[in-house]
Amino acid sequence: MPTNEKRTIVVTGGSRGIGKSICTAFAAPDTVVYFNYASSHSAAAETEQLVRDAGGQAVGICADIASETAVTDFFLKIVSETGRVDVLVNNAGITRDGLLVRTKTSDWDAVMDVNLKGMFLCTRAVSKTMIKQHSGRIINISSVVGVTGNAGQSSYAASKSGMIGFTKSIARELASRNITVNAVAPGYIVTDMTEALSEKVRESMLQQIPLGRLGQPEDITAAVLFLASRQAGYITGQVFHVSGGMYM
Ligand code: NAP
């Protein structure tokens, strides 16, 4: 197995939104960023370029995190190339919003497959490498609605609550191996995921945010960078709310 002097960062869903911002923020000469995505090839190429422009190295791979085979191949490639994984950010996520009575089973399954099973597959794959290293940081991007709930988002909120239970359980399992596991719970962040909302919904969202603005991807990235830093080495099993005060 090759050993790499470079810090290896893995981000799921790095082609757009919060994931793109996280990939770019990790860019550094001594770091290589691997990310995956579902289908946005040109957006992924843009992330790679942004990381290069910032002086780093990035490898984007089209790999569905809901597929066990795709996840296995993704991590085999990373470990065969670098021999290590220092940070995993489980960021990829989808919504299939709608009132419960109109929620199709296929939509429920799609949300669980990406948001929960995807996180499970990636974390399980990376944990073996991190256990061998006796170090690692795992950061799961949950959501404020995983704590508060939200009408019309039962599948999404259930998946995001599930991420928190998973975070705390794995934090307990891996703590003795010097691996920390934390969650970040964003509020409403300006990305494609929230772009589709009507002006009316945006207005009502703003009313719920004490800081009086929607968040930017960089607001979430700042928390992720902190949790991945040496200074955060004594923090595990926590949920960091970055929501402009929506949840207190
Ligand atoms: P986004 O702009 O919709 O981007 C989603 C990313 O996930 C894209 O890179 C997408 O790839 C990737 N992805 C989706 N399904 C995938 C799959 N099956 N396999 C691999 N990659 C997949 O979303 P975002 O707003 O940045 O959200 C990022 C995370 O933050 C999500 O977990 C979301 O639930 C959470 N979050 C967001 C908000 C918000 O207000 N935006 C609030 C709370 C929590 P493609 O580009 O190829 O589709």
Side-chain angles (χ1 to χ4, degrees):
M1 186 189 291
T3 46
N4 190 341
E5 294 305 309
K6 289 196 172 186
R7 195 171 174 230
T8 303
I9 313 293
V10 181
V11 180
T12 67
S15 52
R16 291 185 288 119
I18 294 169
K20 183 177 225 107
S21 165
I22 293 170
C23 288
T24 310
F26 272 112
D30 62 348
T31 300
V32 55
V33 179
Y34 286 84
F35 68 89
N36 63 10
Y37 62 98
S39 60
S40 305
H41 306 301
S42 57
E46 197 179 285
T47 301
E48 288 179 333
Q49 188 59 48
L50 283 170
V51 173
R52 276 197 293 274
D53 290 348
Q57 185 189 339
V59 183
I61 296 165
C62 185
D64 179 4
I65 57 162
S67 154
E68 184 163 2
T69 313
V71 169
T72 302
D73 291 350
F74 178 58
F75 283 99
L76 277 176
K77 176 180 167 63
I78 295 168
V79 174
S80 72
E81 287 178 3
T82 72
R84 57 181 303 112
V85 177
D86 296 281
V87 179
L88 167 67
V89 184
N90 283 306
N91 162 78
I94 60 166
T95 53
R96 291 283 188 275
D97 295 347
L99 295 176
L100 178 64
V101 290
R102 292 198 206 119
T103 299
K104 291 188 202 138
T105 308
S106 57
D107 285 338
W108 175 274
D109 287 345
V111 170
M112 295 304 155
D113 281 354
V114 176
N115 297 5
L116 269 185
K117 187 175 146 201
M119 171 189 62
F120 153 68
L121 292 173
C122 294
T123 306
R124 188 180 62 179
V126 92
S127 66
K128 290 172 193 152
T129 306
M130 288 183 173
I131 286 169
K132 272 193 214 145
Q133 289 166 191
H134 207 78
S135 69
R137 299 289 166 87
I138 298 170
I139 300 156
N140 299 324
I141 309 299
S142 176
S143 168
V144 66
V145 305
V147 177
T148 63
N150 195 23
Q153 288 200 302
S154 58
S155 58
Y156 181 72
S159 74
K160 293 294 169 179
S161 293
M163 290 182 82
I164 292 172
F166 182 86
T167 298
K168 293 182 180 183
S169 302
I170 303 307
R172 289 184 188 278
E173 274 189 36
L174 298 181
S176 66
R177 310 304 178 101
N178 190 34
I179 299 164
T180 68
V181 189
N182 292 287
V184 174
Y188 292 113
I189 310 301
V190 179
T191 68
D192 293 344
M193 197 176 261
T194 46
E195 191 78 347
L197 300 170
S198 69
E199 202 48 46
K200 197 173 153 207
V201 174
R202 275 168 178 266
E203 272 310 308
S204 94
M205 270 160 39
L206 272 176
Q207 306 294 323
Q208 303 169 48
I209 306 172
L211 282 177
R213 67 170 176 89
L214 301 189
Q216 294 296 326
E218 291 69 30
D219 292 317
I220 307 308
T221 294
V224 171
L225 285 184
F226 170 65
L227 288 170
S229 73
R230 194 147 45 87
Q231 287 80 355
Y234 200 54
I235 300 171
T236 198
Q238 303 304 306
V239 181
F240 273 60
H241 285 271
V242 185
S243 61
M246 272 181 80
Y247 178 79
M248 293 188 185

